[in-house]
Amino acid sequence: MKHNHLIQYINQHFKVKLILTLSVIIIVCSLITGYVSYRVNVNLFESEISKQYLKTSEQTIQQLGFKIQDMYRITDFVFFHPYVEQIVQEMSAEPAEGESGAYRNFLLERDLANILLPLKNETPHIRAVYLVDLQGYNMYYSQSNPSIQVTFPDFYEKVKNGRKDTSAELVWQRMKIPDSSEPSGEKSSLVAARWLKSTKTQTVYGMMILIIDEAFLGNSLDPLLAGRTSGAYIYDQFNRLLYSREPEGRPGIEPKLETKEATVIQHHNGDDYLFVKSVFEPRSFTLVSGISLAEIKAKGLSVYHLAIFSGFVSIILMAVSVSLFSGRMLKPLHVLVKAMQRVREGNLRVVIPKTSNDEFAFLAESFNKMVTDIQSLIQEVYVSKLSEKEAELKALQAQLNPHFLHNALNSIYWKIMLLYDDDETAALVTSLSELLRYSLATVTTPSTLRDELAQIRNYITIQEARHGEELYVHIEADETLAECQMQRLLIQPLVENVFVHAFQNQTVNKRLTIRALRKDANMLIEVEDNGCGMHPDTVMKLLADQNMYDGSRERESIGVRNVIRRIDLVHGEPYGLDIVRLPTGTLIQLMLPYNIDHTREGAMADDTNTAS
C-alpha cells in the first residue's frame, strides 16, 4: 500500500521525477569522470619535477662554491706570501739616507709584479687587482681592461665602508665601477676585498681588492634559469644580496630569507611561488631560486583537457539519457511551449487540454485563463496605449536625424564589443547622452557659441570612435565669441554633412577644421574639410533654393538648406551661408551677427568669483 502511494506521488509531481532521473545520471557521470581525473592527478604528482629542480639548485651552488673557493685560494697566495708583506711594508717605510725613494719603490713594484704575475692568468673574470696601504694609496695594480677608471684613496674608502669588519675574511660587494667603455659610464661588477695581515704580528698593513666581472657568478646560473623560473639570487656570508639574475621578458621576485627552511612559499601579485634555498657550507654562501606554482600547475593541462573531455561526455550521456527517459515526462511542457509560441505570433484562440493532475495541469489552466484575460483587455487598454506610444515615438523621431543616430549607436555597439567596460566607451556614451539632450530642446531655445561647440565636440567624440585614428579634427574659437548668441543647431548639421557626404568614400587622412573668429562687427564660423567636395550644380542648387520643406517626407530637413533658411528668417541680409569649393574638399562659411547677452555674461563672472 505504501509502495503504491509513493509511486502515485512521484507520478503527480514532475519536479520529483526530473530530479530523480537527473540525479542518477549525474552521479554515474561524476563517478566516471572523477575516477579518471583522480588517476591522472595521482600520476602527475608522482612526477620528478620538484626533485629535479632541487637537484639542479644544489649542483649550481656547488659550482658557485668552487669558484668562490678559487678566489680564496688566489687571495691566500697573496695573504700568506712573506715577500708580499715585506715589499708592501718597505714601500710604506721612509727611504734610507742617501737612497732615492722613487727608485726604491720602482724596484719594489717590479719585484711585487713578478711575484703576482701568475695571478693575472688565474681567471679571465678578474678585471683588476689592487694592493693598497691603510691610507688607501695604491701600491700595486693590474688591469685586464684599461677602461676601468677608479681613483684612490676614494675607491678604497667605499670598499672599506662596505666591509664593516677587521677580520681577514674575503668580503664581497656589488658596486658600480667607472668604465669608459660603457655608454652609461659605469658597469656593475663584483668587488672582493680582504685585509692583509702580518703573519707574525697579526697587524693589518693593507688591503687586497679584486674587481671581478659579474659573469663570474652569472654563467653558473644558466642551467637553473633554463626553465620558467622567477629568478636566482646569491647571498654572501652576511645574508646580503650579492648577485641576482632575473628571467628575460618579465620581472623577477626577490624572496625574503626569514626562515631556515630549505623551501619557502611566498605570495606575490596573486600567485604563490616556491623558493628553494641551497647553501655552500664552507663559505656560507646561499643560492635562492624560485619557480611559480602556477607554472608547475600549467603542466597539468592534460588533466584539464581530460576534465573538459569528460564534461562533454557527461553532457552527451545526459542528453541521450534525457531524450530516452524524459520524452514522455516533458510532453506537457512541449505542448505549453508550442501554445505560447502561437500566442506570441498573435493567435489568442489557443487552448491547452488538461492531460494530467500534476503541476502541468495547473500551468495549463493558468495559461488558458491568461489568454482569455488578454482577449478581454486588449480592446480596452492595449490599443489605446499602443497608439499613445506610437505618437510619442513619432514625435521623438521627428527631432532626431535617423542617419546620425544609427551611426552613433552603431559606433557605440562595436566599441563595447571590442573594448568592454573601458573609460573611452563610457566617454562615448556620455557624449551621445549630452548630444541627444541638447538636440531634444526646441530650436527656439537660446544658445551660445560655447554651447554649440560643446555639442560639436560631443558629436566629434562619437565620430572619432567610428572613424578611428584616420580622423583629424581641429576646433579653434576666439574666446571673446564664447558667449555670443546664436540659433541652436546651426553648426551640427554642417559638420554632420561632412561625415555623411564628404567622407563617404574616404578611408584615410580625413581632416576637419572648425573656426570661429571675429570679422568686423560680425561673427564668422568656418567648417572646412578635405573630402570629396561638392559638385558645382549641387552648390548652386543649395544656395538658390531656400525652400527647406521636403514634400516627400513629413518633417523639415535638418541640413544645409535648413541652416540657410533659418538664418534668412531670423537675421536676413547680409547674414547667411556661403559654400566655397577648394582644390581638395569644401569650405562652408556662416556669417552671423555679433550679439552677446551681457546679463548672462555677468552672471557667469559672478559664479567664477564665488568659486574662487
Side-chain angles (χ1 to χ4, degrees):
M1 186 66 182
K2 293 182 178 180
H3 179 71
N4 294 333
H5 181 72
L6 179 61
I7 295 177
Q8 183 180 3
Y9 176 79
I10 295 175
N11 291 331
Q12 292 179 349
H13 294 82
F14 169 78
K15 181 174 66 174
V16 176
K17 293 183 288 186
L18 185 61
I19 290 176
L20 290 176
T21 304
L22 293 180
S23 296
V24 173
I25 297 173
I26 292 174
I27 289 174
V28 174
C29 294
S30 298
L31 289 175
I32 296 174
T33 56
Y35 178 77
V36 175
S37 300
Y38 167 76
R39 295 305 307 171
V40 173
N41 276 285
V42 168
N43 294 333
L44 180 64
F45 285 110
E46 288 177 354
S47 65
E48 299 295 328
I49 296 177
S50 59
K51 293 181 180 180
Q52 292 176 1
Y53 191 70
L54 282 171
K55 184 177 180 181
T56 303
S57 178
E58 292 174 355
Q59 292 174 348
T60 302
I61 192 61
Q62 289 299 322
Q63 293 178 4
L64 291 173
F66 293 151
K67 291 186 175 182
I68 294 170
Q69 286 287 63
D70 284 341
M71 286 300 166
Y72 274 90
R73 180 179 56 80
I74 292 172
T75 56
D76 285 345
F77 170 78
V78 179
F79 186 87
F80 294 106
H81 200 292
Y83 293 110
V84 172
E85 176 185 349
Q86 180 181 346
I87 292 173
V88 173
Q89 290 182 349
E90 287 180 4
M91 292 174 68
S92 301
E94 293 292 333
E97 184 177 354
E99 182 183 14
S100 172
Y103 181 71
R104 183 203 64 179
N105 288 342
F106 168 75
L107 295 177
L108 293 174
E109 290 176 2
R110 183 187 64 183
D111 295 339
L112 185 60
N114 291 332
I115 295 174
L116 300 180
L117 181 60
L119 191 62
K120 295 183 178 181
N121 302 322
E122 283 291 335
T123 173
H125 294 298
I126 297 180
R127 305 180 63 202
V129 179
Y130 301 97
L131 296 181
V132 296
D133 61 10
L134 295 179
Q135 284 72 39
Y137 294 103
N138 188 12
M139 298 295 184
Y140 167 83
Y141 74 95
S142 173
Q143 296 177 343
S144 62
N145 190 343
S147 62
I148 298 177
Q149 298 176 343
V150 296
T151 58
F152 289 91
D154 295 337
F155 183 63
Y156 164 75
E157 292 296 333
K158 291 181 181 179
V159 175
K160 185 175 68 172
N161 292 335
R163 291 187 53 98
K164 304 296 185 183
D165 73 322
T166 58
S167 67
E169 183 76 10
L170 185 64
V171 178
W172 298 71
Q173 302 178 53
R174 193 177 188 181
M175 300 178 63
K176 293 287 187 179
I177 304 299
D179 194 326
S180 60
S181 64
E182 294 293 324
S184 62
E186 292 181 330
K187 183 176 182 179
S188 180
S189 302
L190 300 174
V191 177
R194 185 173 185 178
W195 289 113
L196 297 177
K197 286 187 176 183
S198 173
T199 56
K200 296 179 180 180
T201 63
Q202 293 299 312
T203 57
V204 178
Y205 64 86
M207 178 183 287
M208 182 180 184
I209 302 175
L210 304 178
I211 298 179
I212 306 170
D213 197 306
E214 286 187 330
F216 174 73
L217 297 178
N219 291 341
S220 300
L221 300 178
D222 290 341
L224 195 62
L225 293 175
R228 299 284 294 177
T229 62
S230 63
Y233 304 87
I234 300 175
Y235 297 85
D236 62 8
Q237 62 269 41
F238 306 108
N239 281 337
R240 298 181 304 184
L241 180 62
L242 178 62
Y243 178 79
S244 63
R245 185 171 170 186
E246 298 174 345
E248 297 181 0
R250 62 183 188 276
I253 303 173
E254 181 180 352
K256 299 177 182 179
L257 296 177
E258 298 178 352
T259 177
K260 295 182 180 180
E261 298 291 337
T263 60
V264 60
I265 296 177
Q266 294 183 8
H267 193 72
H268 184 79
N269 290 340
D271 292 328
D272 290 331
Y273 291 85
L274 172 66
F275 290 97
V276 178
K277 181 170 64 174
S278 303
V279 180
F280 182 67
E281 296 294 345
R283 298 299 175 184
S284 299
F285 272 67
T286 305
L287 171 63
V288 178
S289 58
I291 186 170
S292 174
L293 294 180
E295 299 289 344
I296 297 177
K297 294 177 182 178
K299 298 186 180 187
L301 284 176
S302 58
V303 178
Y304 176 71
H305 294 156
L306 183 58
I308 294 178
F309 176 77
S310 300
F312 280 114
V313 171
S314 300
I315 293 175
I316 294 174
L317 292 175
M318 184 179 296
V320 173
S321 301
V322 171
S323 300
L324 293 176
F325 298 107
S326 63
R328 184 176 181 181
M329 293 187 297
L330 295 179
K331 184 177 180 179
L333 181 61
H334 296 159
V335 174
L336 178 61
V337 171
K338 290 182 179 180
M340 295 181 68
Q341 289 175 344
R342 294 177 64 183
V343 171
R344 186 176 182 181
E345 294 171 356
N347 186 355
L348 298 179
R349 299 182 181 275
V350 180
V351 177
I352 300 178
K354 182 179 179 181
T355 58
S356 63
N357 296 321
D358 55 14
E359 287 86 346
F360 280 109
F362 175 75
L363 289 176
E365 294 177 358
S366 301
F367 176 83
N368 294 334
K369 186 176 184 302
M370 178 190 68
V371 173
T372 302
D373 293 341
I374 291 176
Q375 289 177 336
S376 62
L377 292 175
I378 193 170
Q379 299 298 328
E380 301 176 8
V381 179
Y382 182 72
V383 173
S384 61
K385 290 295 180 181
L386 181 61
S387 299
E388 293 177 3
K389 292 297 182 181
E390 290 178 349
E392 292 177 2
L393 181 60
K394 186 175 181 180
L396 178 61
Q397 290 175 339
Q399 302 178 59
L400 300 177
N401 187 323
H403 183 84
F404 162 67
L405 182 59
H406 170 75
N407 290 337
L409 293 177
N410 189 50
S411 300
I412 294 175
Y413 172 77
W414 286 111
K415 197 68 177 179
I416 294 175
M417 291 293 291
L418 296 176
L419 298 174
Y420 179 74
D421 196 23
D422 63 331
D423 294 340
E424 184 179 357
T425 304
L428 191 64
V429 175
T430 301
S431 299
L432 177 60
S433 176
E434 291 294 327
L435 188 59
L436 292 179
R437 181 185 61 81
Y438 187 79
S439 301
L440 289 174
T442 60
V443 178
T444 58
T445 303
S447 183
T448 64
L449 177 63
R450 184 192 304 276
D451 297 334
E452 283 287 295
L453 292 181
Q455 301 312 312
I456 293 300
R457 291 186 178 93
N458 288 330
Y459 181 82
I460 294 301
T461 299
I462 298 172
Q463 293 294 352
E464 285 177 341
R466 179 188 174 199
H467 292 269
E469 297 181 354
E470 294 299 329
L471 176 62
Y472 305 91
V473 181
H474 179 65
I475 301 176
E476 58 182 44
D478 190 347
E479 186 62 29
T480 60
L481 301 176
E483 299 304 321
C484 187
Q485 290 185 319
M486 61 182 297
Q487 298 180 62
R488 182 179 293 265
L489 295 175
L490 279 183
I491 306 177
Q492 193 272 340
L494 306 180
V495 175
E496 178 184 343
N497 192 67
V498 172
F499 290 95
V500 174
H501 298 290
F503 293 158
Q504 183 177 9
N505 298 319
Q506 187 169 338
T507 60
V508 297
N509 193 26
K510 307 171 189 176
R511 297 186 177 273
L512 172 64
T513 303
I514 303 172
R515 293 181 291 267
L517 56 147
R518 182 80 177 270
K519 186 174 182 181
D520 299 329
N522 301 320
M523 176 174 62
L524 178 63
I525 299 176
E526 297 181 339
V527 178
E528 180 180 350
D529 66 81
N530 66 337
C532 61
M534 287 189 185
H535 193 275
D537 295 340
T538 303
V539 175
M540 293 180 59
K541 184 177 180 180
L542 286 174
L543 297 179
D545 186 6
Q546 297 187 4
N547 181 15
M548 67 178 179
Y549 183 80
D550 189 348
S552 63
R553 293 178 294 177
E554 294 182 358
R555 70 179 186 90
E556 292 182 346
S557 174
I558 303 178
V560 177
R561 189 178 302 169
N562 177 280
V563 174
I564 296 174
R565 184 60 176 166
R566 287 169 59 197
I567 295 176
D568 182 68
L569 291 174
V570 175
H571 303 295
E573 295 291 341
Y575 307 104
L577 180 146
D578 190 20
I579 302 175
V580 180
R581 298 181 65 250
L582 302 176
T584 302
T586 305
L587 173 64
I588 299 180
Q589 296 178 321
L590 283 178
M591 185 67 70
L592 300 173
Y594 178 76
N595 183 17
I596 294 182
D597 187 353
H598 295 285
T599 303
R600 178 176 178 180
E601 186 180 32
M604 293 184 64
D606 292 340
D607 294 341
T608 303
N609 295 333
T610 302
S612 302

